[in-house]
Amino acid sequence: FADVDPVTGLLDPQAVSELINDRTRIIVPVDYTGQPADYHAMRTVIGDRPIALIADAAHSMGATDNGRPVGTLADLTTLSFHPVKPITSGEGGAIVCSNDAWDTHMRAFRSHGIARATATENQTEPWRQEMTLLGFNYRITDIQCALGKSQLGRLHEYIARRGEIACKYFGGLRDIDSIALPGLRENTTSGWHLFTIRTLRDTAHRQALFHKLRSLGVGVQVHYEPVHHHPYYQSLGYPKDRCPNAVDFASRVLSLPIFPAMTNEDVAWVVETVHEAVRALE
């Protein structure tokens, strides 16, 4: 695990560079909250090493970096179609790449490892199918695909509305001295999957603010606990003080509601309620 930038929560390229060794095969930045990680800097870190760059873009579908859309920034890009993501198929996801060999391999892997010849490829035995590797049944259903495709044309509408809500949050919350608003990278647009604030006080203040906002009806949440703090990784021996920026960030962060169906009145109420909660804890 490499540490994050303390302002954006995105993977820190410098932290990555300090961990690369001869065993490194992939780097997997997470586009936390919907903002693309710095893939250009990651490629500089990789240089000519045989390391693949894989984007966890579950939050960032529809976002851009220097005008380039998510899906074109890494060697492989993974997307999520979970119900709370930018578009949904109920569940499932997709992988985007521009490498024909990887594409062919993944299409076989998701379908039991079976490769099928088309009628034009094998005119004498068009029925032939061969298991070429040990794969699994990772196919999304046709019904789920139909649901996802029905929303795909509205992706930009959804992202635009999330951006409007984020702007209203920035305008309404920027004068609260005890909280920090999301840190933004230059020349990027965010998918605004999450809108996070961070307390500038201690962990106890975050906990008190969480419970106060919940009691006032605002469905705040914490996204997320550091990965290496989870029991599985603790069982592997990762020290809890690893990645101190991520640990500190996670101890201060709160996510406010943000979804396209929110009305301007909803957003204004959340802003007013955050002010009320902060005042109550002074």
Side-chain angles (χ1 to χ4, degrees), residues 8-281:
T8 64
L10 297 170
L11 192 62
D12 181 357
Q14 179 60 37
V16 171
S17 70
E18 294 170 0
L19 292 175
I20 288 180
N21 58 38
D22 292 341
R23 298 177 59 234
T24 306
R25 294 292 176 265
I26 61 172
I27 298 173
V28 190
V30 177
D31 293 350
Y32 177 64
T33 73
Q35 185 173 198
D38 193 342
Y39 293 97
H40 177 75
M42 296 295 175
R43 290 198 184 278
T44 300
V45 167
I46 292 171
D48 58 0
R49 298 180 181 93
I51 298 173
L53 185 58
I54 300 179
D56 179 343
H59 288 185
S60 63
M61 188 177 182
T64 65
D65 186 350
N66 282 285
R68 295 178 58 192
V70 165
T72 67
L73 305 175
D75 299 318
L76 290 169
T77 301
T78 64
L79 306 172
S80 171
F81 302 147
H82 180 272
V84 303
K85 297 305 193 297
I87 66 170
T88 185
S89 57
E91 255 298 358
I95 302 177
V96 180
C97 75
S98 58
N99 182 305
D100 289 341
W102 291 352
D103 175 76
T104 299
H105 181 86
M106 288 187 291
R107 287 179 187 275
F109 185 75
R110 74 173 179 184
S111 190
H112 308 289
I114 294 174
R116 293 176 173 82
T118 66
T120 54
E121 291 171 337
N122 190 340
Q123 296 183 13
T124 58
E125 297 180 328
W127 63 83
R128 181 166 295 282
Q129 54 184 2
E130 298 175 330
M131 182 176 173
T132 58
L133 56 94
L134 184 61
F136 296 87
N137 181 359
Y138 285 157
R139 295 186 302 271
I140 192 172
T141 68
D142 290 346
I143 294 173
Q144 288 174 306
C145 288
L147 174 59
K149 285 185 67 176
S150 72
Q151 296 181 51
L152 190 57
R154 301 185 66 186
L155 174 62
H156 293 297
E157 173 190 336
Y158 294 155
I159 299 300
R161 179 55 186 160
R162 287 177 178 273
E164 290 172 356
I165 295 169
C167 285
K168 292 182 183 297
Y169 277 150
F170 273 108
L173 301 173
R174 62 188 174 191
D175 60 340
I176 301 179
D177 294 335
S178 60
I179 66 172
L181 300 179
L184 302 177
R185 293 184 53 234
E186 291 185 359
N187 301 316
T188 64
T189 64
S190 176
W192 291 114
H193 174 62
L194 301 174
F195 189 95
T196 56
I197 60 175
R198 286 170 292 127
T199 177
L200 296 177
R201 297 180 182 173
D202 55 16
T203 303
H205 184 254
R206 193 276 299 273
Q207 185 168 352
L209 187 58
F210 175 94
H211 289 294
K212 184 63 177 177
L213 285 168
R214 281 286 183 99
S215 73
L216 294 172
V218 180
V220 290
Q221 187 54 278
V222 172
H223 296 102
Y224 301 93
E225 284 296 307
V227 177
H228 64 289
H229 282 194
H230 287 274
Y232 173 76
Y233 293 102
Q234 284 294 292
S235 74
L236 297 180
Y238 285 96
K240 281 202 166 185
D241 59 357
R242 188 184 180 105
C243 303
N245 289 342
V247 172
D248 182 71
F249 190 99
S251 73
R252 299 174 182 275
V253 74
L254 279 179
S255 297
L256 300 182
I258 184 168
F259 53 94
M262 286 185 77
T263 66
N264 290 342
E265 290 74 21
D266 293 334
V267 180
W269 176 77
V270 172
V271 169
E272 179 183 342
T273 308
V274 171
H275 277 272
E276 179 183 346
V278 169
R279 287 194 301 268
L281 297 174

